[in-house]
Amino acid sequence: MLQEELKSIQVAKTVDARGTACPGPLLEAKKAVGTIKSGDIMEILSADEGTKVDIPKWCTKQGHEYLGTVEESGYFRIFMKKG
Amino acid sequence: METKKLCLALYTGSVDKLTAAGIILSGAAAVDMQVDIYVLLMGARAFRKDVGDDSGKLHMAENASLKAEFLESLKSLNVKTWVEFFREAKSITDVKIHICGLAGKVWGGEKLGDFIDLADDICGIGAYIESAQEADVNLFI
């Protein structure tokens, strides 16, 4: 998705994992995805560079859809749709 | 989705390698892998109730002189202790922790109750071989 589309997208849940290093954000995402419905969009905030790679791969493996990443100052906003 | 299996032979009793094992376990938990951990020799010492994540009682596998720096850095990065990593992985996916009977005895542990509550049973090496043969990923740490 385009960056502008991602920035204005409605999310069902935001997971703020900026206080944790790898593997914290991935596990926070894993735990949070169980609390939303199929088709819901979730945003993961992470300051960990590795999360940018991990979440898209994890989405593919787990049957979710990775929508894209927006870089903010000092952190990333990673968007996904639950499968 | 087919469940993949990770078999980990956990020989180490060192805080640096136990932390690495914990991080790998987290990755396995994130993708719902089934995990079998076989705790061997030095590893069983770390699972003793009086050791666990008491870092003062755990050595380093790599460069002992860096222990304080290593632990301080993990703390400042808000990284969990190895016991916390293992406990969290157990809460997310199917992780079974088996203490090798001989390893337990080496460190004075005869019964399951002699070890921290992460341990599920005491086993023989045949169980490890069987699990390793069935696993999709095998690790020795």
Side-chain angles (χ1 to χ4, degrees), chain B residues 34-86:
Chain B
Q34 184 202 338
V35 182
D36 263 336
I37 301 175
Y38 291 87
V39 181
L40 311 176
L41 294 174
M42 295 303 292
R45 181 180 172 277
F47 277 81
R48 256 178 26 183
K49 277 184 171 165
D50 64 328
V51 181
D53 56 7
D54 182 346
S55 58
K57 293 180 177 172
L58 298 168
H59 63 97
M60 289 276 283
E62 302 276 337
N63 205 330
S65 67
L66 295 177
K67 184 176 174 183
E69 183 184 346
F70 174 71
L71 293 174
E72 191 54 42
S73 193
L74 290 184
K75 195 174 170 189
S76 70
L77 290 166
N78 201 19
V79 176
K80 294 179 172 65
T81 67
W82 78 269
V83 170
E84 289 169 340
F85 271 129
F86 277 52

Short mmCIF file of all heavy atoms in Angstrom, two decimals, chain B residues 34-86:
data_model
loop_
_atom_site.label_atom_id
_atom_site.label_comp_id
_atom_site.label_asym_id
_atom_site.label_seq_id
_atom_site.Cartn_x
_atom_site.Cartn_y
_atom_site.Cartn_z
N GLN B 34 6.07 -26.46 17.65
CA GLN B 34 6.11 -27.33 18.83
C GLN B 34 7.58 -27.47 19.19
O GLN B 34 8.43 -27.68 18.32
CB GLN B 34 5.51 -28.69 18.47
CG GLN B 34 5.43 -29.62 19.65
CD GLN B 34 5.36 -31.08 19.23
OE1 GLN B 34 4.98 -31.40 18.11
NE2 GLN B 34 5.77 -31.95 20.13
N VAL B 35 7.88 -27.33 20.48
CA VAL B 35 9.29 -27.32 20.89
C VAL B 35 9.54 -28.38 21.96
O VAL B 35 8.80 -28.47 22.95
CB VAL B 35 9.70 -25.94 21.44
CG1 VAL B 35 11.19 -25.92 21.83
CG2 VAL B 35 9.40 -24.83 20.44
N ASP B 36 10.58 -29.16 21.75
CA ASP B 36 11.06 -30.10 22.76
C ASP B 36 12.46 -29.66 23.16
O ASP B 36 13.34 -29.53 22.31
CB ASP B 36 11.18 -31.52 22.17
CG ASP B 36 9.97 -32.38 22.48
OD1 ASP B 36 9.28 -32.10 23.49
OD2 ASP B 36 9.72 -33.33 21.72
N ILE B 37 12.66 -29.45 24.46
CA ILE B 37 13.99 -29.06 24.94
C ILE B 37 14.52 -30.17 25.84
O ILE B 37 13.84 -30.58 26.80
CB ILE B 37 13.93 -27.73 25.74
CG1 ILE B 37 13.39 -26.62 24.85
CG2 ILE B 37 15.32 -27.35 26.28
CD1 ILE B 37 13.17 -25.30 25.56
N TYR B 38 15.70 -30.65 25.52
CA TYR B 38 16.35 -31.67 26.34
C TYR B 38 17.52 -31.03 27.06
O TYR B 38 18.47 -30.55 26.43
CB TYR B 38 16.78 -32.86 25.47
CG TYR B 38 15.56 -33.60 24.99
CD1 TYR B 38 14.92 -33.22 23.83
CD2 TYR B 38 14.99 -34.60 25.76
CE1 TYR B 38 13.75 -33.83 23.42
CE2 TYR B 38 13.82 -35.23 25.36
CZ TYR B 38 13.21 -34.85 24.19
OH TYR B 38 12.03 -35.45 23.80
N VAL B 39 17.41 -30.96 28.38
CA VAL B 39 18.41 -30.25 29.18
C VAL B 39 19.51 -31.23 29.58
O VAL B 39 19.27 -32.20 30.31
CB VAL B 39 17.74 -29.64 30.44
CG1 VAL B 39 18.77 -28.88 31.26
CG2 VAL B 39 16.58 -28.72 30.03
N LEU B 40 20.70 -30.98 29.06
CA LEU B 40 21.83 -31.89 29.26
C LEU B 40 22.87 -31.28 30.20
O LEU B 40 23.00 -30.06 30.29
CB LEU B 40 22.49 -32.20 27.91
CG LEU B 40 21.53 -32.64 26.78
CD1 LEU B 40 22.30 -32.83 25.48
CD2 LEU B 40 20.79 -33.92 27.15
N LEU B 41 23.62 -32.08 30.85
CA LEU B 41 24.75 -31.75 31.72
C LEU B 41 24.76 -30.33 32.32
O LEU B 41 24.09 -30.09 33.30
CB LEU B 41 26.05 -32.10 30.99
CG LEU B 41 26.15 -33.64 30.78
CD1 LEU B 41 27.36 -34.00 29.93
CD2 LEU B 41 26.18 -34.39 32.10
N MET B 42 25.51 -29.40 31.75
CA MET B 42 25.60 -28.08 32.39
C MET B 42 24.25 -27.36 32.45
O MET B 42 24.00 -26.56 33.34
CB MET B 42 26.63 -27.20 31.65
CG MET B 42 28.06 -27.70 31.71
SD MET B 42 28.69 -27.91 33.39
CE MET B 42 28.77 -26.23 33.96
N GLY B 43 23.41 -27.66 31.48
CA GLY B 43 22.10 -27.03 31.44
C GLY B 43 21.28 -27.33 32.68
O GLY B 43 20.55 -26.46 33.20
N ALA B 44 21.39 -28.56 33.19
CA ALA B 44 20.59 -28.96 34.35
C ALA B 44 20.95 -28.13 35.59
O ALA B 44 20.10 -27.90 36.45
CB ALA B 44 20.77 -30.45 34.63
N ARG B 45 22.19 -27.68 35.68
CA ARG B 45 22.58 -26.83 36.82
C ARG B 45 21.77 -25.53 36.80
O ARG B 45 21.29 -25.06 37.84
CB ARG B 45 24.08 -26.54 36.77
CG ARG B 45 24.53 -25.69 37.93
CD ARG B 45 26.03 -25.39 37.88
NE ARG B 45 26.39 -24.43 38.90
CZ ARG B 45 26.26 -23.12 38.78
NH1 ARG B 45 25.80 -22.62 37.65
NH2 ARG B 45 26.59 -22.30 39.78
N ALA B 46 21.61 -24.95 35.61
CA ALA B 46 20.86 -23.70 35.51
C ALA B 46 19.40 -23.88 35.90
O ALA B 46 18.75 -22.94 36.37
CB ALA B 46 20.96 -23.14 34.08
N PHE B 47 18.87 -25.08 35.72
CA PHE B 47 17.46 -25.35 36.06
C PHE B 47 17.26 -25.68 37.53
O PHE B 47 16.12 -25.91 37.97
CB PHE B 47 16.91 -26.49 35.18
CG PHE B 47 16.46 -26.00 33.83
CD1 PHE B 47 17.38 -25.79 32.80
CD2 PHE B 47 15.13 -25.72 33.58
CE1 PHE B 47 16.98 -25.33 31.56
CE2 PHE B 47 14.70 -25.26 32.34
CZ PHE B 47 15.63 -25.05 31.33
N ARG B 48 18.37 -25.76 38.29
CA ARG B 48 18.20 -25.99 39.73
C ARG B 48 17.47 -24.82 40.35
O ARG B 48 17.65 -23.67 39.97
CB ARG B 48 19.59 -26.13 40.37
CG ARG B 48 19.94 -27.54 40.69
CD ARG B 48 21.27 -27.75 41.27
NE ARG B 48 21.87 -26.63 42.01
CZ ARG B 48 23.10 -26.68 42.52
NH1 ARG B 48 23.82 -27.77 42.38
NH2 ARG B 48 23.59 -25.65 43.17
N LYS B 49 16.66 -25.12 41.36
CA LYS B 49 15.85 -24.07 41.98
C LYS B 49 16.69 -22.95 42.57
O LYS B 49 16.27 -21.80 42.62
CB LYS B 49 14.96 -24.67 43.08
CG LYS B 49 13.69 -25.28 42.52
CD LYS B 49 12.79 -25.78 43.63
CE LYS B 49 11.43 -26.17 43.08
NZ LYS B 49 10.66 -26.96 44.02
N ASP B 50 17.90 -23.28 43.04
CA ASP B 50 18.72 -22.25 43.67
C ASP B 50 19.57 -21.48 42.64
O ASP B 50 20.35 -20.62 43.02
CB ASP B 50 19.63 -22.85 44.74
CG ASP B 50 20.64 -23.82 44.15
OD1 ASP B 50 20.30 -24.48 43.15
OD2 ASP B 50 21.76 -23.91 44.66
N VAL B 51 19.41 -21.79 41.36
CA VAL B 51 20.17 -21.07 40.32
C VAL B 51 19.19 -20.27 39.45
O VAL B 51 19.06 -19.06 39.62
CB VAL B 51 21.04 -22.04 39.49
CG1 VAL B 51 21.84 -21.25 38.44
CG2 VAL B 51 22.00 -22.82 40.39
N GLY B 52 18.51 -20.92 38.51
CA GLY B 52 17.52 -20.23 37.66
C GLY B 52 18.12 -18.99 37.02
O GLY B 52 19.20 -19.06 36.43
N ASP B 53 17.43 -17.86 37.14
CA ASP B 53 17.98 -16.66 36.50
C ASP B 53 18.74 -15.77 37.48
O ASP B 53 18.84 -14.56 37.27
CB ASP B 53 16.92 -15.89 35.71
CG ASP B 53 15.74 -15.50 36.56
OD1 ASP B 53 15.80 -15.72 37.79
OD2 ASP B 53 14.77 -14.97 35.99
N ASP B 54 19.29 -16.37 38.52
CA ASP B 54 20.21 -15.63 39.40
C ASP B 54 21.55 -15.52 38.66
O ASP B 54 22.38 -16.42 38.70
CB ASP B 54 20.38 -16.40 40.72
CG ASP B 54 21.28 -15.66 41.69
OD1 ASP B 54 21.98 -14.71 41.27
OD2 ASP B 54 21.30 -16.05 42.88
N SER B 55 21.73 -14.40 37.99
CA SER B 55 22.89 -14.26 37.10
C SER B 55 24.22 -14.36 37.85
O SER B 55 25.23 -14.70 37.26
CB SER B 55 22.82 -12.95 36.31
OG SER B 55 22.75 -11.87 37.20
N GLY B 56 24.18 -14.09 39.14
CA GLY B 56 25.39 -14.22 39.94
C GLY B 56 25.89 -15.66 40.03
O GLY B 56 27.07 -15.91 40.31
N LYS B 57 24.98 -16.60 39.80
CA LYS B 57 25.34 -18.02 39.90
C LYS B 57 25.57 -18.65 38.52
O LYS B 57 25.82 -19.84 38.41
CB LYS B 57 24.25 -18.78 40.64
CG LYS B 57 24.15 -18.38 42.10
CD LYS B 57 23.07 -19.15 42.82
CE LYS B 57 23.05 -18.78 44.29
NZ LYS B 57 21.90 -19.35 45.00
N LEU B 58 25.43 -17.86 37.47
CA LEU B 58 25.61 -18.39 36.11
C LEU B 58 26.90 -17.82 35.52
O LEU B 58 27.20 -16.64 35.67
CB LEU B 58 24.43 -17.98 35.22
CG LEU B 58 23.05 -18.50 35.64
CD1 LEU B 58 21.96 -17.79 34.85
CD2 LEU B 58 22.96 -20.00 35.41
N HIS B 59 27.64 -18.66 34.82
CA HIS B 59 28.88 -18.19 34.20
C HIS B 59 28.59 -17.74 32.77
O HIS B 59 27.47 -17.78 32.29
CB HIS B 59 29.93 -19.31 34.23
CG HIS B 59 29.53 -20.52 33.45
ND1 HIS B 59 29.95 -20.74 32.16
CD2 HIS B 59 28.70 -21.56 33.74
CE1 HIS B 59 29.42 -21.87 31.72
NE2 HIS B 59 28.67 -22.38 32.65
N MET B 60 29.63 -17.28 32.10
CA MET B 60 29.54 -16.91 30.68
C MET B 60 30.23 -17.99 29.87
O MET B 60 31.29 -18.48 30.25
CB MET B 60 30.25 -15.58 30.42
CG MET B 60 29.57 -14.36 30.98
SD MET B 60 28.28 -13.71 29.89
CE MET B 60 29.25 -12.86 28.64
N ALA B 61 29.66 -18.34 28.71
CA ALA B 61 30.34 -19.28 27.81
C ALA B 61 31.43 -18.56 27.03
O ALA B 61 32.45 -19.12 26.70
CB ALA B 61 29.34 -19.91 26.85
N GLU B 62 31.18 -17.31 26.75
CA GLU B 62 32.12 -16.51 25.96
C GLU B 62 32.63 -15.36 26.82
O GLU B 62 31.85 -14.60 27.36
CB GLU B 62 31.41 -15.92 24.73
CG GLU B 62 30.79 -16.93 23.81
CD GLU B 62 31.78 -17.52 22.83
OE1 GLU B 62 32.81 -16.87 22.55
OE2 GLU B 62 31.53 -18.64 22.36
N ASN B 63 33.91 -15.24 26.91
CA ASN B 63 34.57 -14.08 27.51
C ASN B 63 33.98 -13.63 28.87
O ASN B 63 33.21 -12.67 28.93
CB ASN B 63 34.56 -12.91 26.52
CG ASN B 63 35.71 -11.96 26.81
OD1 ASN B 63 36.13 -11.84 27.96
ND2 ASN B 63 36.21 -11.32 25.79
N ALA B 64 34.37 -14.32 29.91
CA ALA B 64 33.85 -14.06 31.25
C ALA B 64 34.03 -12.61 31.68
O ALA B 64 33.22 -12.07 32.46
CB ALA B 64 34.54 -14.99 32.25
N SER B 65 35.06 -11.96 31.19
CA SER B 65 35.32 -10.59 31.62
C SER B 65 34.26 -9.61 31.13
O SER B 65 34.16 -8.49 31.62
CB SER B 65 36.71 -10.14 31.13
OG SER B 65 36.70 -10.04 29.72
N LEU B 66 33.44 -10.05 30.17
CA LEU B 66 32.39 -9.16 29.63
C LEU B 66 31.03 -9.35 30.30
O LEU B 66 30.05 -8.74 29.89
CB LEU B 66 32.25 -9.38 28.12
CG LEU B 66 33.46 -9.00 27.26
CD1 LEU B 66 33.19 -9.35 25.80
CD2 LEU B 66 33.78 -7.52 27.38
N LYS B 67 30.98 -10.20 31.32
CA LYS B 67 29.68 -10.55 31.92
C LYS B 67 28.91 -9.32 32.41
O LYS B 67 27.73 -9.16 32.09
CB LYS B 67 29.89 -11.54 33.07
CG LYS B 67 28.59 -12.01 33.69
CD LYS B 67 28.86 -13.05 34.77
CE LYS B 67 27.57 -13.42 35.48
NZ LYS B 67 27.82 -14.38 36.57
N ALA B 68 29.58 -8.46 33.18
CA ALA B 68 28.88 -7.30 33.73
C ALA B 68 28.36 -6.39 32.62
O ALA B 68 27.21 -5.93 32.66
CB ALA B 68 29.81 -6.53 34.66
N GLU B 69 29.18 -6.18 31.61
CA GLU B 69 28.78 -5.32 30.49
C GLU B 69 27.61 -5.94 29.73
O GLU B 69 26.65 -5.25 29.36
CB GLU B 69 29.98 -5.13 29.55
CG GLU B 69 29.70 -4.21 28.39
CD GLU B 69 30.88 -4.11 27.41
OE1 GLU B 69 32.00 -4.54 27.79
OE2 GLU B 69 30.67 -3.63 26.29
N PHE B 70 27.69 -7.26 29.53
CA PHE B 70 26.64 -7.99 28.83
C PHE B 70 25.31 -7.87 29.56
O PHE B 70 24.28 -7.50 28.97
CB PHE B 70 27.08 -9.46 28.71
CG PHE B 70 26.05 -10.40 28.13
CD1 PHE B 70 25.72 -10.36 26.79
CD2 PHE B 70 25.43 -11.36 28.93
CE1 PHE B 70 24.79 -11.24 26.25
CE2 PHE B 70 24.50 -12.23 28.41
CZ PHE B 70 24.17 -12.17 27.06
N LEU B 71 25.34 -8.15 30.87
CA LEU B 71 24.10 -8.12 31.65
C LEU B 71 23.53 -6.71 31.74
O LEU B 71 22.31 -6.51 31.66
CB LEU B 71 24.34 -8.69 33.05
CG LEU B 71 24.66 -10.19 33.10
CD1 LEU B 71 25.03 -10.61 34.51
CD2 LEU B 71 23.49 -11.03 32.59
N GLU B 72 24.41 -5.73 31.89
CA GLU B 72 23.96 -4.34 31.99
C GLU B 72 23.30 -3.90 30.68
O GLU B 72 22.27 -3.22 30.67
CB GLU B 72 25.16 -3.45 32.32
CG GLU B 72 24.80 -2.04 32.71
CD GLU B 72 23.78 -1.97 33.85
OE1 GLU B 72 23.90 -2.74 34.82
OE2 GLU B 72 22.84 -1.16 33.73
N SER B 73 23.91 -4.32 29.58
CA SER B 73 23.38 -3.95 28.27
C SER B 73 22.00 -4.58 28.03
O SER B 73 21.08 -3.92 27.55
CB SER B 73 24.37 -4.38 27.19
OG SER B 73 24.03 -3.78 25.97
N LEU B 74 21.86 -5.85 28.39
CA LEU B 74 20.56 -6.52 28.25
C LEU B 74 19.50 -5.78 29.06
O LEU B 74 18.38 -5.57 28.60
CB LEU B 74 20.64 -7.97 28.72
CG LEU B 74 21.43 -8.98 27.89
CD1 LEU B 74 21.30 -10.37 28.49
CD2 LEU B 74 20.97 -9.00 26.44
N LYS B 75 19.89 -5.39 30.27
CA LYS B 75 18.95 -4.69 31.16
C LYS B 75 18.52 -3.35 30.55
O LYS B 75 17.34 -3.00 30.54
CB LYS B 75 19.61 -4.48 32.52
CG LYS B 75 18.67 -4.11 33.62
CD LYS B 75 19.41 -4.07 34.94
CE LYS B 75 18.53 -3.47 36.01
NZ LYS B 75 19.29 -3.23 37.24
N SER B 76 19.49 -2.62 30.03
CA SER B 76 19.16 -1.30 29.48
C SER B 76 18.30 -1.43 28.22
O SER B 76 17.54 -0.53 27.88
CB SER B 76 20.43 -0.51 29.18
OG SER B 76 21.11 -1.09 28.09
N LEU B 77 18.41 -2.56 27.53
CA LEU B 77 17.59 -2.79 26.32
C LEU B 77 16.25 -3.44 26.66
O LEU B 77 15.48 -3.79 25.78
CB LEU B 77 18.36 -3.69 25.34
CG LEU B 77 19.56 -3.05 24.66
CD1 LEU B 77 20.43 -4.11 23.98
CD2 LEU B 77 19.11 -2.01 23.65
N ASN B 78 16.01 -3.63 27.97
CA ASN B 78 14.74 -4.20 28.42
C ASN B 78 14.55 -5.63 27.91
O ASN B 78 13.45 -6.03 27.52
CB ASN B 78 13.59 -3.30 27.96
CG ASN B 78 12.34 -3.50 28.78
OD1 ASN B 78 12.41 -4.03 29.88
ND2 ASN B 78 11.21 -3.11 28.23
N VAL B 79 15.65 -6.37 27.86
CA VAL B 79 15.59 -7.77 27.39
C VAL B 79 15.27 -8.67 28.59
O VAL B 79 15.80 -8.47 29.69
CB VAL B 79 16.95 -8.18 26.76
CG1 VAL B 79 16.94 -9.66 26.36
CG2 VAL B 79 17.24 -7.32 25.54
N LYS B 80 14.43 -9.65 28.36
CA LYS B 80 14.02 -10.55 29.44
C LYS B 80 15.18 -11.43 29.89
O LYS B 80 16.14 -11.63 29.14
CB LYS B 80 12.88 -11.45 28.95
CG LYS B 80 11.61 -10.71 28.64
CD LYS B 80 10.55 -11.68 28.14
CE LYS B 80 9.21 -11.00 28.01
NZ LYS B 80 9.18 -9.94 27.00
N THR B 81 15.06 -11.99 31.09
CA THR B 81 16.05 -12.99 31.54
C THR B 81 15.76 -14.29 30.79
O THR B 81 14.68 -14.46 30.21
CB THR B 81 15.93 -13.28 33.04
OG1 THR B 81 14.67 -13.92 33.29
CG2 THR B 81 16.03 -12.00 33.86
N TRP B 82 16.71 -15.22 30.85
CA TRP B 82 16.49 -16.47 30.11
C TRP B 82 15.26 -17.20 30.63
O TRP B 82 14.49 -17.78 29.85
CB TRP B 82 17.74 -17.36 30.14
CG TRP B 82 17.99 -18.13 31.42
CD1 TRP B 82 18.73 -17.71 32.48
CD2 TRP B 82 17.51 -19.44 31.74
NE1 TRP B 82 18.73 -18.67 33.46
CE2 TRP B 82 18.00 -19.75 33.02
CE3 TRP B 82 16.72 -20.37 31.08
CZ2 TRP B 82 17.71 -20.97 33.66
CZ3 TRP B 82 16.44 -21.58 31.72
CH2 TRP B 82 16.93 -21.87 32.99
N VAL B 83 15.03 -17.16 31.96
CA VAL B 83 13.86 -17.84 32.54
C VAL B 83 12.57 -17.17 32.04
O VAL B 83 11.60 -17.86 31.70
CB VAL B 83 13.92 -17.85 34.08
CG1 VAL B 83 12.60 -18.33 34.68
CG2 VAL B 83 15.06 -18.74 34.57
N GLU B 84 12.58 -15.86 31.96
CA GLU B 84 11.39 -15.14 31.47
C GLU B 84 11.12 -15.49 30.00
O GLU B 84 9.96 -15.66 29.60
CB GLU B 84 11.58 -13.63 31.64
CG GLU B 84 11.52 -13.19 33.09
CD GLU B 84 11.96 -11.76 33.30
OE1 GLU B 84 12.67 -11.18 32.42
OE2 GLU B 84 11.65 -11.19 34.36
N PHE B 85 12.18 -15.57 29.20
CA PHE B 85 12.00 -15.96 27.79
C PHE B 85 11.37 -17.35 27.69
O PHE B 85 10.44 -17.58 26.92
CB PHE B 85 13.36 -16.00 27.07
CG PHE B 85 13.78 -14.70 26.45
CD1 PHE B 85 15.04 -14.18 26.69
CD2 PHE B 85 12.95 -14.01 25.58
CE1 PHE B 85 15.46 -12.98 26.10
CE2 PHE B 85 13.35 -12.81 24.99
CZ PHE B 85 14.62 -12.31 25.25
N PHE B 86 11.93 -18.29 28.47
CA PHE B 86 11.42 -19.66 28.41
C PHE B 86 9.96 -19.70 28.87
O PHE B 86 9.12 -20.38 28.28
CB PHE B 86 12.27 -20.58 29.30
CG PHE B 86 13.54 -21.09 28.64
CD1 PHE B 86 14.44 -20.23 28.05
CD2 PHE B 86 13.84 -22.44 28.65
CE1 PHE B 86 15.62 -20.69 27.46
CE2 PHE B 86 15.01 -22.93 28.06
CZ PHE B 86 15.89 -22.05 27.47
#
